[in-house]
Amino acid sequence: MRGLKKIGKFHEENTGLPYHPFKIKDDLPKDKQFAKVRVLAHAEPDYDDEGGEIDNGKPVIQAIFMHQAFRVVNSTRCVNNDSAQPVPEECPLCRVKCPRSLRTFIPVRVRNDEDEKRVQIIEYGRNHLTEVQNFIEEREDADITGVDIKIKRIGKKKDTEYRWTPILGTERPLDEQELALEIPDMLALIPVKEESELEKRAMEFERAMKAKKVKGEDADDDDDDDDNEEDDDDADEKPRSKQRKVPF
Ligand SMILES: [Zn+2]
């Protein structure tokens, strides 16, 4: 997805390490539209006896609430990332009811990746995440990092699905090399904007609402990973006629 390029730049500038969005191209022959990956972060943190999260450095899959309104407001991290319910008092964009959706970032090692240090990031919205949740459920209590996974792309653009299946015979815990890989911290990469910028975006959204320019809720909570490379420049961050997703 396009915005990830921008995150990648930010990541490189701040850490000196490259950032790689995961992608299965749709211009490959159909039977080649898959990848074999190992997920590097766990679905859940460890919990203590009281149910509190244990901060033991174990990487956990990160998810971030983003506000976004097609052609009106650039992707903006919600102030209330820990709350499934918007908290209007704390977030200007929640206050003006700008659509909010959860983006999930899954770090993986892609099999046959010639770069041994490369961690790729799968970004999923709500729809594709369901497939991952089903995958986790079907494997019952097995750890999502404990097996190689075949991800198959089916369809194009907004009709794309990603099928996740475990690869038999690859069950094992992460090895030392995998454990040593640097996993990008998405919460650091997509910081909350300054209050004044949030207010500005909230105002833009309200103005557009009044002018009835905003499409229905969640109009852009899509999961299409846009393969139009020509849109991939990140020259500006302003909404424009052909809106791009800029996640921070
Ligand atoms: Zn919000």
Side-chain angles (χ1 to χ4, degrees):
M1 102 154 234
R2 288 162 286 176
L4 281 176
K5 263 205 171 171
K6 196 150 190 174
I7 297 179
K9 227 179 186 178
F10 187 87
H11 183 63
E12 279 188 52
E13 280 164 11
N14 284 277
T15 65
L17 294 161
Y19 179 91
H20 308 282
F22 170 86
K23 190 174 226 178
I24 301 172
K25 293 215 175 258
D26 66 358
D27 55 2
L28 294 167
K30 282 222 160 55
D31 60 343
K32 295 262 162 51
Q33 291 184 24
F34 70 88
K36 292 178 177 175
V37 309
R38 173 72 64 144
V39 174
L40 298 171
H42 303 266
E44 298 267 359
D46 290 333
Y47 295 103
D48 60 26
D49 293 342
E50 271 100 60
E53 283 184 21
I54 303 172
D55 184 11
N56 53 4
K58 182 174 121 172
V60 177
I61 292 171
Q62 293 178 306
I64 299 180
F65 278 107
M66 302 295 291
H67 285 288
Q68 192 167 294
F70 189 60
R71 294 184 184 186
V72 175
V73 174
N74 282 311
S75 250
T76 309
R77 181 170 149 191
C78 179
V79 177
N80 307 305
N81 204 53
D82 294 331
S83 170
Q85 289 302 316
V87 185
E89 304 78 46
E90 303 205 345
C91 175
L93 286 155
C94 285
R95 193 186 68 224
V96 298
K97 299 193 171 69
C98 181
R100 199 176 82 135
S101 67
L102 193 64
R103 313 294 308 181
T104 300
F105 301 90
I106 306 168
V108 294
R109 263 300 288 165
V110 177
R111 294 284 166 243
N112 304 321
D113 187 343
E114 68 287 353
D115 181 344
E116 288 177 6
K117 291 263 161 66
R118 181 149 57 193
V119 174
Q120 298 188 33
I121 302 291
I122 300 176
E123 183 189 349
Y124 279 167
R126 193 178 45 198
N127 300 339
H128 290 157
L129 192 61
T130 308
E131 172 69 17
V132 181
Q133 284 162 338
N134 291 342
F135 177 88
I136 292 170
E137 247 165 59
E138 274 165 28
R139 287 178 46 77
E140 290 166 354
D141 282 331
D143 193 323
I144 193 171
T145 66
V147 69
D148 280 3
I149 298 164
K150 181 175 177 179
I151 302 178
K152 182 156 178 42
R153 177 185 182 129
I154 299 157
K156 282 194 169 198
K157 302 284 170 193
K158 297 229 176 204
D159 289 323
T160 301
E161 272 180 55
Y162 293 97
R163 225 30 80 64
W164 283 44
T165 44
I167 301 171
L168 293 177
T170 64
E171 291 89 351
R172 59 157 177 81
L174 295 177
D175 64 24
E176 261 174 49
Q177 230 181 348
E178 288 160 341
L179 288 169
L181 291 165
E182 199 254 3
I183 296 171
D185 177 5
M186 299 310 299
L187 290 166
L189 286 176
I190 308 177
V192 174
K193 290 276 180 195
E194 299 267 325
E195 179 79 26
S196 59
E197 180 60 27
L198 292 172
E199 288 292 351
K200 193 176 130 231
R201 292 185 185 197
M203 248 168 61
E204 280 167 5
F205 178 76
E206 273 194 313
R207 206 178 300 137
M209 280 295 276
K210 278 183 193 137
K212 294 200 168 75
K213 276 186 193 153
V214 177
K215 283 195 190 178
E217 193 163 332
D218 280 353
D220 205 24
D221 182 23
D222 59 358
D223 279 299
D224 68 319
D225 53 357
D226 204 299
D227 290 324
N228 292 326
E229 294 292 344
E230 68 269 23
D231 284 341
D232 247 355
D233 71 302
D234 40 20
D236 67 14
E237 224 188 285
K238 293 282 171 216
R240 57 177 190 181
S241 57
K242 192 172 188 307
Q243 171 67 321
R244 297 165 306 127
K245 288 178 219 144
V246 182
F248 62 97

